[in-house]
Amino acid sequence: MQRRQFLATAPLVGAAATLGGLAPSLARAASHSGGGSAQVPAYQRFAVGDMTVTCLGDGSLHIGPDSLIGIEADAYTELMRAQFRDPETYPTSVNAFAIQRGDETILVDAGTADAMGPGLGRLPRSLEAAGIDPASVTRLLATHLHPDHVAGALSGQDAMFPNAELVVSETDRAFWSDEGNFSGAPEMMQNFANLARSVLSAYSDRLVTFSGEEDIGSGITSMPLPGHTPGHSGYMLSSGDDSLLIWADIVHVPPVQFARPDVAIGFDVDPEQAVETRQRTMDMVATDRLQVAGSHIGFPGVVNVEAAEDGYRMIPAVYHYDV
Ligand SMILES: [Zn+2]
């Protein structure tokens, strides 16, 4: 299927009213997790060699079977129940990660701000609680230019992180910048593209792009994970004998997609490629026993992955009582 064709026909979540001009049914669903009072700000630290990684919570939203591709509602419910999860309310986490090493404070993704409903947009208070001043961020690494990853990079139309370079895959920059990719696309995709362009514009004087797998300094290497977006990228952190792969959006609904990596999401620009990338990446991290951090794995989002009878299974990282 041609990308353009997909954009015009994708079963993107709902199509009713909009909230902030973005993802309508996601915005409705977010109220499931935004109804109560928030927990204490979500941050958690651990070491990767001489780096300090801080997991930062932005909140959560519910992603129902109507947003997924390749699974019926009954099978979705069955997988959720098999893992003791409520299929009506299961909260998909939105996480960002800070990496501190020497003088550098690097942020991987920036949360949703007010783009996607009341259960999200909590990254600023998580950063504050973690003692990370937005002005101290030296580089903002975007895994891709979707709003749940970069809307929080803006304060109005300006940069939220006034001293940070924005680092992003050249492929994603080019894709979202080309208006021709979105002619005739659903309104939500147009809104996604507009947001991506606003972010690129706010950081245009300090925009750094990379291509494919590239050493981007500070012990970090980009890893192309195409499909969800054309330039969707993970970041591999290596220090001494330690490593961590921040794999971004390899999964959106963990109770479903670890067991069924063949299930895609309506936001995938190329769902078939996203499935291939997910299967290849899960196989790699399971074989290499590599610890991963996911944007949408339950907070703090750090797990190991092992092959299971059906698909894969995640094992949450140990809690670090001291850092
Ligand atoms: Zn995402």
Side-chain angles (χ1 to χ4, degrees), residues 243-259:
S243 56
L244 174 76
L245 172 62
I246 298 177
W247 79 4
D249 284 23
I250 287 295
V251 298
H252 293 90
V253 186
V256 172
Q257 288 168 302
F258 276 102

Side-chain angles (χ1 to χ4, degrees), residues 3 13 25 34 53 73 83 93 102 107 109 121 128 146 157 165 186 190 215 222 238 270 285 316 318 320:
R3 176 189 299 152
V13 281
S25 75
V53 175
Q83 291 166 81
S93 190
L107 189 60
D109 292 338
E128 189 182 356
H146 270 162
Q157 287 302 301
E165 285 179 348
Q190 313 249 15
D215 179 353
S222 59
S238 302
D270 183 339
V285 301
V318 70
H320 298 276

Side-chain angles (χ1 to χ4, degrees), residues 144 146 148-149 228 249 252 295-296:
H144 58 301
H146 270 162
D148 53 320
H149 299 260
H228 182 52
D249 284 23
H252 293 90
S295 305
H296 301 304

Side-chain angles (χ1 to χ4, degrees), residues 120-184:
L120 290 157
R122 299 173 182 177
L123 182 71
R125 73 186 198 109
S126 297
L127 278 170
E128 189 182 356
I132 300 173
D133 179 351
S136 74
V137 175
T138 49
R139 292 199 286 170
L140 170 61
L141 274 49
T143 58
H144 58 301
L145 295 174
H146 270 162
D148 53 320
H149 299 260
V150 294
L154 291 176
S155 171
Q157 287 302 301
D158 299 326
M160 176 71 178
F161 302 97
N163 301 309
E165 285 179 348
L166 174 63
V167 181
V168 65
S169 131
E170 168 57 22
T171 309
D172 236 42
R173 187 208 63 75
F175 173 72
W176 295 104
S177 299
D178 182 352
E179 291 186 28
N181 287 334
F182 304 94
S183 61

Side-chain angles (χ1 to χ4, degrees), residues 5-313:
Q5 199 186 340
F6 171 74
L7 289 176
T9 57
L12 292 165
V13 281
T18 60
L19 184 106
L22 290 169
S25 75
L26 288 182
R28 275 200 309 279
S31 64
H32 279 296
S33 52
S37 57
Q39 296 275 11
V40 292
Y43 75 95
Q44 212 178 97
R45 288 203 165 96
F46 64 106
V48 175
D50 64 1
M51 306 177 186
T52 300
V53 175
T54 306
C55 307
L56 297 153
D58 188 57
S60 70
L61 77 171
H62 177 66
I63 299 176
D66 62 329
S67 301
L68 301 180
I69 301 170
I71 189 165
E72 298 299 324
D74 287 355
Y76 172 100
T77 298
E78 201 175 305
L79 277 172
M80 284 284 175
R81 293 219 168 112
Q83 291 166 81
F84 305 93
R85 299 292 179 257
D86 182 345
E88 300 295 324
T89 63
Y90 172 80
T92 277
S93 190
V94 176
N95 308 318
F97 302 93
I99 303 156
Q100 289 168 300
R101 183 188 220 189
D103 295 339
E104 275 226 87
T105 296
I106 297 165
L107 189 60
V108 178
D109 292 338
T112 53
D114 60 358
M116 294 176 78
L120 290 157
R122 299 173 182 177
L123 182 71
R125 73 186 198 109
S126 297
L127 278 170
E128 189 182 356
I132 300 173
D133 179 351
S136 74
V137 175
T138 49
R139 292 199 286 170
L140 170 61
L141 274 49
T143 58
H144 58 301
L145 295 174
H146 270 162
D148 53 320
H149 299 260
V150 294
L154 291 176
S155 171
Q157 287 302 301
D158 299 326
M160 176 71 178
F161 302 97
N163 301 309
E165 285 179 348
L166 174 63
V167 181
V168 65
S169 131
E170 168 57 22
T171 309
D172 236 42
R173 187 208 63 75
F175 173 72
W176 295 104
S177 299
D178 182 352
E179 291 186 28
N181 287 334
F182 304 94
S183 61
E187 188 190 358
M188 194 182 69
M189 285 299 284
Q190 313 249 15
N191 289 335
F192 280 17
N194 289 337
L195 185 273
R197 281 181 216 127
S198 297
V199 172
L200 291 168
S201 155
Y203 291 84
S204 59
D205 57 342
R206 47 216 156 91
L207 185 65
V208 176
T209 60
F210 59 81
S211 295
E213 191 173 324
E214 205 175 289
D215 179 353
I216 56 170
S218 307
I220 304 171
T221 306
S222 59
M223 179 182 285
L225 300 171
H228 182 52
T229 67
H232 178 251
S233 299
Y235 293 103
M236 177 75 89
L237 281 49
S238 302
S239 175
D241 293 335
D242 257 3
S243 56
L244 174 76
L245 172 62
I246 298 177
W247 79 4
D249 284 23
I250 287 295
V251 298
H252 293 90
V253 186
V256 172
Q257 288 168 302
F258 276 102
R260 290 274 314 273
D262 60 303
V263 174
I265 190 163
F267 298 117
D268 289 336
V269 172
D270 183 339
E272 279 176 37
Q273 189 182 33
V275 166
E276 278 169 28
T277 295
R278 179 163 35 261
Q279 285 170 329
R280 179 170 50 78
T281 308
M282 285 190 176
D283 179 57
M284 179 194 75
V285 301
T287 304
D288 295 350
R289 300 175 64 84
L290 191 58
Q291 194 164 61
V292 301
S295 305
H296 301 304
I297 295 175
F299 186 80
V302 183
V303 300
N304 279 94
V305 180
E306 69 170 5
E309 204 171 313
D310 295 311
Y312 295 86
R313 191 167 78 89

